[in-house]
Amino acid sequence: MENVEIAAVLKEVADLLEIQDANPFRVRAYRNAVRTVQTQAIPLRKLVADGADLTELPAIGKEMARHIEELVQTGQATVLQELTEQVPASLVQLMRLPGLGPKKARKLWDELGIETIEELEKMARAGLIATLPGFGQKTEQTILEGIERYRRRVGRFGLLEVDELLKPLLEHMSGAKGLDRLEVAGSYRRRLETIGDIDLLASGAAPGDLMQRLADYSGVAKTLVLGETKTSVSLRSDLQVDLRVVPAESYGAALVYFTGSKEHNIKLRQRALDRGLRVSEYGVFRIPEGATDESLASEGEMVAGETEEDVYAAVGLPWIFPEMREDRGEIKAAETDRLPNLIEIRDILGDLQMHSTWSDGKNTIEEMLETCASRGYEYLAMTDHSKSLAMIGGLDAARLTQQWEEIDEIAARHEEICILKSMEVDILKDGTLDLEDDMLEQLDLVVVSIHSFFNLSQAEQTDRVLAALHHPQVNVLAHPTGRVINRRDPIQLDIDEVLRAAADLGVAVELNAHPSRLDLKDTHLMRARELGVKIVISTDAHRAAELDLMHYGVEQARRAWLESDDVLNTLPLKDFLAAIRR
């Protein structure tokens, strides 16, 4: 089992315990263990195999260590099986809906016998949920809206989760007999923010061995298809993986085809037809002279297919970055030699949002700084939360002043990198900022964001953000829409009006690189670039290891066609400070 799968099991145990109204200290122990597992760089299966003492990890006691060892060795957890004999596991899904916590999920089961989302929807549409004490019509409507959003998200996996699941699978496949090439295609290769399934493309001398190799992977829960050229499996996480083996001479054409997008491929095929060619997953073929439409399926002479570059060249185009293949004008740009020189991770010279132990971060300021310096950055901004987030240690003016003193001491020891005094200042409900003006004036960088009142109307939310942007000290609007992928929808915001204001005022907008946010989304970033809005990419790291998440932001920027010149924190420190200034 991989860390992401272990964490999912422990989280389900915690949720079921909470539904049972178990001892809150026990529930918290499981939730703390989940966070520990999620943040471990080393796979726990390796630690177990090496006989490591898991209790040396934070929040992992003897009982939790036994659960993890059992999961690694058997793929099962006895504690979870025992709980699901007492409480339906499907109640956990109900907890994922807005307006429903563990107590209400338990009440729905006790009072109406509801165990599934389907049963909940039926009861809600019949008006029976509103009759329960503590619910009402508003809650009933919120539940129905939440079910619709849940169904849009179900079966979609975040990039970070897929990366963690894929790494050991690809390591396993790399040892297959006769393997020549193996790549991941599909939406994963285009780096969409969520992934439905995985398309693996292979080439090798022994296709049957490659197929069996996938079916024999320890993470497979079920083999759906085991064929000569295609095998499909479902992993324990429910992620489906499809493996196709193609001849070497067709590999490039297949990679183009299975990478997609569908719309991009349609345009590519039409361009080929205009030139008397046919493009398929098998190659690029010349259509015989005088052929009718019905005969286009006949292969004709094969003119390209071994590499993607050959396929694009056959239709008169340069190779197009996978992240751009969304039918947003990339083919027109390619044929007119206007493809952008997309930003790369090596272009980033600083990280402009992160948190330390002063608020809700897990590492000290100096540890965060040292990690940034080891990445070769020239600068970083320390942006702990402001006082309205008191539950996670938000800083008031007095504590912020104390933090500045510590920053000065640390900076004196680390001349290799510049640390900017900053703060992630909350935008309050009325659009004012959660820090006094005299303190704002002393910050090197003022980053503002929304962490409350997500349900305001679009007009109210837009006015709120615009009011904050007009404050003369504001430099960056962080994670502008506030979305959390697969968990929380974006706030209602007239994003175009906000971007126009940001352009006029000289305020930068953040592309939050954390894979659970990726906010702004790619289409918004394309619009920001059109309007001339300043853009920064930040990790929003809450621990030193999360500083490595920067590449997710860069990948999102590439989907938006951004070049290094479009992103301010690709600039050297002196130039960055000049560019960020309003």
Side-chain angles (χ1 to χ4, degrees), residues 192-221:
L192 262 66
E193 59 201 29
T194 62
I195 308 298
D197 52 35
I198 290 297
D199 294 293
L200 292 182
L201 195 65
S203 178
D209 290 343
L210 295 176
M211 297 300 176
Q212 192 60 51
R213 182 81 175 181
L214 175 60
D216 290 342
Y217 176 56
S218 62
V220 169

Side-chain angles (χ1 to χ4, degrees), residues 33-177:
V34 169
R35 284 190 286 271
T36 294
V37 173
Q38 288 174 331
T39 57
Q40 285 304 302
I42 302 174
L44 294 184
R45 58 180 167 81
K46 291 187 177 180
L47 294 180
V48 172
D50 293 340
D53 183 0
L54 299 183
T55 62
E56 293 181 358
L57 298 175
I60 303 297
K62 290 183 179 180
E63 180 183 7
M64 208 65 65
R66 285 194 295 270
H67 294 331
I68 294 171
E69 289 166 358
E70 181 186 14
L71 283 167
V72 169
Q73 293 163 357
T74 70
Q76 305 292 329
T78 303
V79 63
L80 180 59
Q81 294 170 349
E82 292 172 349
L83 286 171
T84 53
E85 291 173 0
Q86 304 166 33
V87 178
S90 55
L91 291 184
V92 171
Q93 291 181 323
L94 304 190
M95 288 177 58
R96 307 284 187 261
L97 300 175
L100 288 183
K103 292 183 178 179
K104 286 190 173 181
R106 177 63 185 256
K107 191 167 189 176
L108 289 169
W109 181 46
D110 288 340
E111 300 290 333
L112 297 176
I114 293 174
E115 296 185 11
T116 67
I117 287 180
E118 290 71 24
E119 292 170 349
L120 176 61
E121 181 180 29
K122 183 178 179 180
M123 294 284 192
R125 295 200 182 282
L128 297 178
I129 304 301
T131 64
L132 289 177
F135 283 79
Q137 291 184 351
K138 186 176 180 180
T139 299
E140 187 174 70
Q141 185 59 37
T142 299
I143 287 171
L144 287 171
E145 293 171 355
I147 290 172
E148 291 181 16
R149 290 195 293 271
Y150 172 83
R151 288 193 171 133
R152 289 198 299 269
R153 297 166 179 164
V154 70
R156 304 295 298 182
F157 293 79
L159 272 175
L160 179 60
E161 184 177 6
V162 174
D163 280 339
E164 291 184 13
L165 292 170
L166 264 183
K167 184 178 179 181
L169 171 59
L170 295 177
E171 290 175 355
H172 170 79
M173 291 301 300
S174 67
K177 179 182 177 182

Side-chain angles (χ1 to χ4, degrees), residues 272-381:
L273 288 172
D274 293 343
R275 287 158 176 75
L277 302 170
R278 181 177 63 85
V279 175
S280 73
E281 63 266 43
Y282 303 107
V284 183
F285 302 91
R286 194 176 308 283
I287 299 173
E289 188 174 347
T292 63
D293 289 342
E294 289 77 13
S295 67
L296 291 183
S298 61
E299 291 191 354
E301 177 193 0
M302 183 175 181
V303 299
E306 187 171 355
T307 69
E308 283 196 321
E309 288 81 0
D310 291 343
V311 172
Y312 281 100
V315 296
L317 295 174
W319 181 78
I320 297 174
F321 295 107
E323 300 96 324
M324 295 181 63
R325 301 180 195 176
E326 300 291 350
D327 189 25
R328 295 174 181 165
E330 67 275 7
I331 289 179
K332 183 69 174 177
E335 68 182 3
T336 56
D337 197 28
R338 290 187 295 107
L339 285 175
N341 183 21
L342 297 183
I343 187 172
E344 298 181 28
I345 186 67
R346 64 185 179 185
D347 296 324
I348 301 295
L349 297 182
D351 195 334
L352 302 174
Q353 189 188 165
M354 65 189 68
H355 304 268
S356 74
T357 50
W358 278 83
S359 61
D360 59 341
K362 302 304 179 185
N363 288 93
T364 65
I365 293 176
E366 190 157 19
E367 288 169 338
M368 299 297 281
L369 178 146
E370 289 172 345
T371 304
C372 285
S374 71
R375 303 296 182 271
Y377 290 162
E378 292 187 18
Y379 49 90
L380 69 127

